[in-house]
Amino acid sequence: MTPQHLQKLAQKRIIKLKRSFEKHQFNYLFNSETLLSHDMVLAEAEAGLLHQTIHENHELCLNSADPVVRQGTRFKIDLEARMKDSCIGTSERILIQVPDARFSPAGYSLFSNLIESLNYIGVDARVLDWNEDIRGVLETFKPSILLSSDNPEYLKRIHWDSVNQYKKHSRLYVGLSAALEEYESTPLLPRLAWAKKHRIDFYYSYRDEDYVCSRLEYQPFFDSGFQIIYIPFGANILHYYPVTGFQRDLNYVLMASRKREHIQYLKNIMKEYSGFLDGPGWKQVKNFSFKRERDRYIYARAKVGLNVHLPEQTSWACELNERTYQLAACGVPQLIDHPMLLNKIFGRESFFIAGSPKDYEEMFRELIAHPRLGSDKALHAQKEVFAAHTTLHRAKSLIDQLKLLE
C-alpha cells in the first residue's frame, strides 16, 4: 500500500470520526422542552383535527385575525372551485404503485398526494398497494397508465409478464422514475436495457425540466428513445392549508427525515430553543407515524418553519423539497438555506434565505425576537404557491403531458 493510499485512508477515518462526534453531539444536546412536549403537541394536533369543523370553518377563517389564514382560505376556496372536475372528460385511468409509509415516507407522500389530486380534478386514479397483486387490479380497474419507481423494491413487486399480457389487448403506457446513476446504487445503462426488455414506455421526473435537459447524465434516457414527463413537487392543498384558532407558540417546527445536513445548520438552534421536531431517523422521536392531515395543526403553531435541503439541491438547480411548498401553503414564515432552484420558482420576498449556517442561526434569532417580520414573507410565499405550485396544478400538467404520448 502506497504512502498516498495510507494518507487517504487516514483522512477518511478522521472525517468519519468527526462526523460520528457531530452526530453524537447533535443527538443528545437537544433542548429538553422539545423532547418533553413532543407527544403533547401531537395530541393537541389530533384534538384540533377532531374539531376541524370549527378550525376550518370558512366564515371563521375568512374573519381570522391572522392574515395568512384569511388569504390562504380565500385562495383555497377559489382554486378548488376552478380545479374541481376540470379534467373529468379525460379517458386516462391511472394506476400508481404506492410504497408502505414505513418503507418510504417520502414516496408514500408524493404518490398519495398525486392520486388524491388526480381524483379531485376528475381523473380516475387508484393506488396499487405495496403488497397488492397487480394481476387482479389490471382486470378490474383497467388502467391506461401505470406509474412505478425505477427501484428494485418497487419493481420486484409487480408481475411484469401479466403487465405485458394486458398490453396485448389493452392500451397501457408504463412510466418509471428517471433516476440518475449518480444518486442511485445501480448503473443506468443496465436499467435502461431492462426497461426496453420489459416494454417500459416513458419516464417521469420530479426534477426541473431545464435541469434535466441540460444535464448530460440524462442523455442516455433520450438516446434510448424515451420521453421524460415532469411532475415537480408541490403543496397538496387538500391537506396543507392554514387553520384558525391557534397561537404561534412553537419557536420552530421541523417535520422531516433526519439528514446529515441538519447538523451544521440546526445544532445550535435546537440546543438553545424549544420547538417541535418529528420524522423518521431522529433518535429523539419515538414511534413516528406519518399523518398528513394532522400536520397543518402543528404548522399553525409555528413561529418559524425550518427547512434545509440536500447537497444535490444546493449544488444543482434541480428541485425544491416538498416541505418548501407545504410550509408556504400553510402560511408559515420559512427559514431556508439556498437551493439553486429557489430563485426560479419563488421571489426573494417569500422566504428568509440563509447563505451559510451562521446566517441561518442569526436569521432565526432575529425572527424569534421580532415575529412580525415573518408575516409579509409568509403571505408572499403563500400567494405564489396557490397561484402555480400545488399538486392540483401538477396533476393537471401530468394529464396535459400524457396527451403527448399518443
Side-chain angles (χ1 to χ4, degrees):
M1 189 174 292
T2 66
Q4 292 84 355
H5 195 172
L6 288 170
Q7 186 178 12
K8 286 182 180 180
L9 285 175
Q11 289 172 341
K12 286 182 179 180
R13 290 193 185 103
I14 290 170
I15 292 171
K16 188 175 181 180
L17 285 169
K18 182 180 178 182
R19 288 177 178 173
S20 178
F21 176 75
E22 287 176 340
K23 286 180 181 179
H24 176 82
Q25 294 290 88
F26 193 48
N27 281 333
Y28 296 103
L29 295 180
F30 264 65
N31 186 288
S32 60
E33 188 178 337
T34 302
L35 307 181
L36 292 172
S37 64
H38 176 271
D39 291 351
M40 179 60 72
V41 173
L42 286 181
E44 289 166 348
E46 292 285 0
L49 190 57
L50 288 174
H51 296 92
Q52 68 184 104
T53 53
I54 297 173
H55 296 298
E56 300 177 22
N57 177 278
H58 284 171
E59 185 176 353
L60 293 178
C61 289
L62 290 170
N63 289 285
S64 169
D66 190 336
V68 299
V69 176
R70 297 196 303 270
Q71 175 179 269
T73 302
R74 187 173 70 253
F75 286 161
K76 177 177 164 64
I77 292 170
D78 291 346
L79 182 60
E80 288 181 344
R82 290 201 312 272
M83 287 290 199
K84 181 65 175 174
D85 293 335
S86 58
C87 293
I88 201 166
T90 182
S91 61
E92 300 293 6
R93 297 175 62 80
I94 302 177
L95 180 64
I96 303 179
Q97 188 184 23
V98 179
D100 189 298
R102 292 167 296 182
F103 170 74
S104 175
Y108 179 86
S109 173
L110 289 167
F111 288 129
S112 298
N113 287 334
L114 182 58
I115 289 171
E116 285 184 349
S117 300
L118 286 165
N119 284 326
Y120 192 86
I121 66 174
V123 179
D124 286 328
R126 181 196 190 281
V127 171
L128 174 64
D129 281 328
W130 201 225
N131 295 311
E132 190 172 12
D133 190 337
I134 196 172
R135 287 172 282 196
V137 179
L138 290 172
E139 294 306 321
T140 56
F141 182 64
K142 301 188 183 305
S144 60
I145 302 291
L146 168 63
L147 297 182
S148 183
S149 180
D150 191 5
N151 177 301
E153 287 299 319
Y154 287 73
L155 300 179
K156 73 181 184 181
R157 296 169 185 273
I158 293 177
H159 194 268
W160 291 101
D161 286 344
S162 296
V163 171
N164 285 318
Q165 280 296 119
Y166 177 85
K167 292 179 78 168
K168 289 180 178 179
H169 59 77
S170 300
R171 173 187 174 275
L172 177 66
Y173 292 154
V174 181
L176 300 180
S177 56
L180 282 188
E181 182 176 328
E182 284 67 22
Y183 305 119
E184 297 295 316
S185 59
T186 58
L188 175 57
L189 292 181
R191 286 189 278 123
L192 291 173
W194 184 95
K196 285 285 189 181
K197 179 180 178 182
H198 290 81
R199 298 178 60 200
I200 302 303
D201 298 286
F202 67 97
Y203 282 86
Y204 65 90
S205 177
Y206 301 116
R207 305 270 167 115
D208 183 72
E209 183 174 358
D210 290 339
Y211 162 78
V212 170
C213 292
S214 64
R215 186 160 180 181
L216 293 178
E217 288 89 340
Y218 281 100
Q219 193 58 42
F221 289 99
F222 301 114
D223 291 343
S224 298
F226 291 110
Q227 290 179 246
I228 296 181
I229 281 177
Y230 301 95
I231 320 172
F233 300 152
N236 182 355
I237 62 159
L238 305 178
H239 291 292
Y240 294 95
Y241 49 87
V243 294
T244 194
F246 296 90
Q247 296 296 317
R248 295 199 179 273
D249 57 353
L250 298 173
N251 289 319
Y252 69 80
V253 167
L254 175 63
M255 289 187 272
S257 299
R258 184 189 179 282
K259 297 290 189 299
R260 185 163 56 84
E261 291 67 40
H262 291 128
I263 298 174
Q264 58 183 148
Y265 277 89
L266 306 181
K267 59 183 178 181
N268 293 330
I269 291 172
M270 290 187 168
K271 177 182 177 182
E272 184 175 345
Y273 295 88
S274 64
F276 180 78
L277 171 73
D278 201 45
W282 298 94
K283 290 187 177 181
Q284 297 81 6
V285 176
K286 310 299 181 186
N287 303 316
F288 164 72
S289 64
F290 184 86
K291 194 169 184 180
R292 291 173 299 163
E293 58 269 29
R294 182 182 59 197
D295 290 356
R296 60 184 176 271
Y297 287 89
I298 300 172
Y299 284 145
R301 297 173 58 181
K303 295 178 183 177
V304 182
L306 299 179
N307 196 2
V308 177
H309 284 75
L310 297 171
E312 66 207 65
Q313 295 162 334
T314 55
S315 300
W316 297 85
C318 58
E319 67 186 9
L320 304 176
N321 59 31
E322 263 196 306
R323 193 175 316 106
T324 307
Y325 303 101
Q326 292 166 351
L327 287 167
C330 290
V332 183
Q334 189 170 164
L335 176 57
I336 194 170
D337 55 353
H338 203 168
M340 286 191 68
L341 191 64
L342 186 64
N343 293 350
K344 176 180 177 180
I345 305 301
F346 289 97
R348 288 192 63 85
E349 67 274 15
S350 293
F351 303 107
F352 295 90
I353 305 168
S356 69
K358 182 181 178 182
D359 290 344
Y360 202 92
E361 285 184 32
E362 290 176 355
M363 286 184 177
F364 180 81
R365 296 180 199 282
E366 185 73 6
L367 279 166
I368 294 301
H370 306 285
R372 289 188 178 181
L373 290 175
S375 182
D376 284 347
K377 288 189 182 293
L379 287 166
H380 277 291
Q382 188 180 65
K383 182 178 181 179
E384 290 187 289
V385 161
F386 275 91
H389 304 298
T390 74
T391 54
L392 298 181
H393 293 99
R394 307 311 191 215
K396 176 69 164 56
S397 174
L398 172 60
I399 297 303
D400 291 340
Q401 292 178 81
L402 288 173
K403 294 174 183 177
L404 302 178
L405 296 177
E406 298 292 345

